[in-house]
């Protein structure tokens, strides 16, 4: 029997994106939002394939991803514009579809919409502000996303004879503006077996990151591999979907000494949570990848779940400053991405200006 070490999984990343929290100071939200828009511009210049924003309520972050991405669409021309994730519980499936369609048209078909179902964050504080009556009686499940998808597909309302009249126009009614293809760019943030099964059966793309639920194991990687396998097992072979995997990746190479220590302290403060399942739902956390590019690459090549996806998403920490984010993105593009097989501008998914002009 050979004593040779097992061959590490081969990683082949063709799409490299980043996810940023969109922080801003309480007394000057414009400054923070402008920095985040500038970060999207920088990401595009560096060659990233996707720039994603978190949607957060009651926090110093983006409360409306559709509004923010519409603005970002006017500052960029190539990069995919994503949100991870919009809690569907607070949204009207029709009104959100209108907002997303408008933003997608303005971006010329670059939106990637990540969603989650279930009880949304801060529901005890926000529920009565969003819904008339008792919000606990509303359907906050996957069915709300299904209705959003139906609206995005642009079916006409009423029967074949139903029309609406507006100045200078008579037309059959449907969601406007209709953006063909947006329904195929819906993602679900899946961390449990139930959620990935729904995503597969609904035929939507799958987002998975550094948090999953330990339903049958205490091991993060084993749990994530099981979710990926279940999604692919149930997916209709005729349905072409995407799987994108996220990791907190913080390279030290371009940082000064004080910043390097800040990064190490950040990782150390979060390490204990990765040692065992947390809470009643047995939440499992992946350790943050903080180190030199060489150290991070070693960990990525040893990560069996990363090897199961051709799309990698850098999840930027909440606590850092824009200068930190800029350094992290720069190091990731020049020192990490190429060592994973990634080539800037070669993603099969990104709509280049040339492709957009050809299909206009």
């Amino acid at each position: 029997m050979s004593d040779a070490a097992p061959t590490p999984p081969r990683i082949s990343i063709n799409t490299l994106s980043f996810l940023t929290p969109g922080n801003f100071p309480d007394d000057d939200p414009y400054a923070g939002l402008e920095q985040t828009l500038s970060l999207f511009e920088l990401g595009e210049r560096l060659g990233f394939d996707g720039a994603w924003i978190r949607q957060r309520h009651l926090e110093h972050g983006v409360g409306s991803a559709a509004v923010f991405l519409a603005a970002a669409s006017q500052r960029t021309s190539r990069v995919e514009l994503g949100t991870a994730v919009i809690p569907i519980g607070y949204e009207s499936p029709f009104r959100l579809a209108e907002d997303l369609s408008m933003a997608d048209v303005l971006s010329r078909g670059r939106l990637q919409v990540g969603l989650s179902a279930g009880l949304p964050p801060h529901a005890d504080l926000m529920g009565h502000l969003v819904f008339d009556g008792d919000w606990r009686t509303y359907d906050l499940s996957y069915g709300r996303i299904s209705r959003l998808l139906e609206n995005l597909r642009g079916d006409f309302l009423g029967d074949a004879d139903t029309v609406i009249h507006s100045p200078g126009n008579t037309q059959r009614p449907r969601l406007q503006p209709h953006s063909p293809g947006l329904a195929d760019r819906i993602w679900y943030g899946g961390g449990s077996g139930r959620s990935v099964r729904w995503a597969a059966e609904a035929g939507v793309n799958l987002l998975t990151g550094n948090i999953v639920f330990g339903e049958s194991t205490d091991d993060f990687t084993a749990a994530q591999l099981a979710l990926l396998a279940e999604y692919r097992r149930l997916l209709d072979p005729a349905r072409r979907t995407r799987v994108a995997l996220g990791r907190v990746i913080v390279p030290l190479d371009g940082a000064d000494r004080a910043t390097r220590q800040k990064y190490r302290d950040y990782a150390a403060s979060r390490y204990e949570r990765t040692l065992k399942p947390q809470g009643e739902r047995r939440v499992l956390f992946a350790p943050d990848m903080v180190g030199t590019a060489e150290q991070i690459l070693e960990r990525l090549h040893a990560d069996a779940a990363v090897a199961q996806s051709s799309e990698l998403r850098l999840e930027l920490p909440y606590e850092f400053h824009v200068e930190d984010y800029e350094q992290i993105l720069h190091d990731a593009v020049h020192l990490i991405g190429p060592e994973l097989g990634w080539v800037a501008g070669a993603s099969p998914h990104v709509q280049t200006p040339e492709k957009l002009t050809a299909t206009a």
Side-chain angles (χ1 to χ4, degrees):
M1 180 180 294
S2 172
D3 293 329
T7 302
R10 183 179 182 275
I11 295 177
S12 181
I13 299 299
N14 63 31
T15 303
L16 186 65
S17 304
F18 67 90
L19 168 65
T20 184
N23 300 328
F24 56 77
D26 189 70
D27 61 348
D28 191 5
Y30 173 80
L33 293 170
E34 171 60 26
Q35 287 178 342
T36 302
L37 287 169
S38 295
L39 197 68
F40 273 49
E41 292 180 285
L42 173 65
E44 180 166 272
R45 290 197 303 272
L46 288 173
F48 275 93
D49 302 305
W52 294 62
I53 192 73
R54 295 184 184 274
Q55 179 161 306
R56 302 152 59 190
H57 296 290
L58 304 184
E59 303 174 25
H60 296 139
V62 171
S64 173
V67 171
F68 178 87
L69 294 181
S73 75
Q74 304 307 292
R75 304 272 288 262
T76 57
S77 62
R78 179 193 60 85
V79 70
E80 291 187 327
L81 302 172
T83 173
V85 290
I86 297 173
I88 196 66
Y90 287 137
E91 307 292 342
S92 156
F94 186 83
R95 278 292 299 115
L96 178 60
E98 284 187 316
D99 289 346
L100 293 173
S101 294
M102 179 68 76
D104 194 50
V105 169
L106 290 171
S107 75
R108 300 189 70 185
R110 290 185 284 137
L111 249 61
Q112 305 290 329
V113 182
L115 300 161
S116 67
L119 187 67
H122 314 308
D124 288 338
L125 294 172
M126 280 186 61
H128 70 288
L129 301 175
V130 176
F131 300 106
D132 294 326
D134 186 358
W135 60 268
R136 295 172 182 82
T137 65
Y138 282 76
D139 174 21
L140 306 179
S141 70
Y142 305 119
R144 211 170 185 83
I145 301 178
S146 297
R147 294 197 295 278
L148 173 75
L149 284 166
E150 291 172 4
N151 293 324
L152 290 177
R153 292 188 180 107
D155 293 340
F156 291 108
L157 306 179
D159 57 32
D161 296 324
T162 301
V163 297
I164 58 173
H165 303 277
S166 58
N169 187 26
T170 300
Q171 66 189 68
R172 294 189 63 190
R174 68 174 178 183
L175 182 142
Q176 294 288 356
H178 176 52
S179 186
L182 179 54
D184 296 326
R185 286 179 271 118
I186 300 299
W187 300 69
Y188 191 80
S192 67
R194 180 174 179 236
S195 63
V196 299
R197 285 191 289 272
W198 179 85
E201 291 164 358
V204 298
N205 305 299
L206 179 66
L207 291 170
T208 183
N210 66 328
I211 302 174
V212 298
F213 297 104
E215 296 168 317
S216 60
T217 177
D218 291 352
D219 181 78
F220 175 90
T221 301
Q224 193 162 60
L225 286 172
L227 295 178
L228 293 172
E230 183 72 351
Y231 175 76
R232 288 170 172 141
R233 182 182 71 84
L234 294 174
L235 192 65
D236 182 349
R239 175 75 171 136
R240 298 180 62 184
T241 62
R242 298 166 60 181
V243 174
L245 185 141
R247 290 287 184 268
V248 176
I249 296 175
V250 183
L252 303 174
D253 303 75
D256 59 29
R257 179 178 297 180
T259 304
R260 288 185 176 199
Q261 189 57 51
K262 178 177 71 173
Y263 292 169
R264 292 189 180 102
D265 291 344
Y266 165 81
S269 71
R270 289 157 48 99
Y271 179 69
E272 186 174 352
R273 69 177 191 166
T274 70
L275 300 178
K276 62 181 180 180
Q278 304 292 312
E280 293 183 2
R281 297 199 65 186
R282 293 175 48 81
V283 178
L284 300 175
F285 294 91
D288 303 322
M289 295 189 178
V290 177
T292 65
E294 182 179 1
Q295 292 168 334
I296 290 171
L297 285 165
E298 182 178 356
R299 292 177 61 182
L300 286 170
H301 281 292
D303 191 325
V306 174
Q308 290 288 315
S309 177
S310 62
E311 302 196 38
L312 180 63
R313 183 180 65 258
L314 278 68
E315 300 191 347
L316 299 176
Y318 285 87
E319 297 86 348
F320 293 175
H321 301 297
V322 66
E323 296 82 9
D324 302 328
Y325 297 146
E326 291 170 354
Q327 174 258 310
I328 291 168
L329 296 185
H330 185 278
D331 284 0
V333 161
H334 291 96
L335 303 176
I336 295 175
E339 299 301 319
L340 302 175
W342 175 74
V343 177
S347 170
H349 306 295
V350 172
Q351 291 277 48
T352 65
E354 293 76 17
K355 291 179 182 176
L356 290 167
T357 299
T359 58

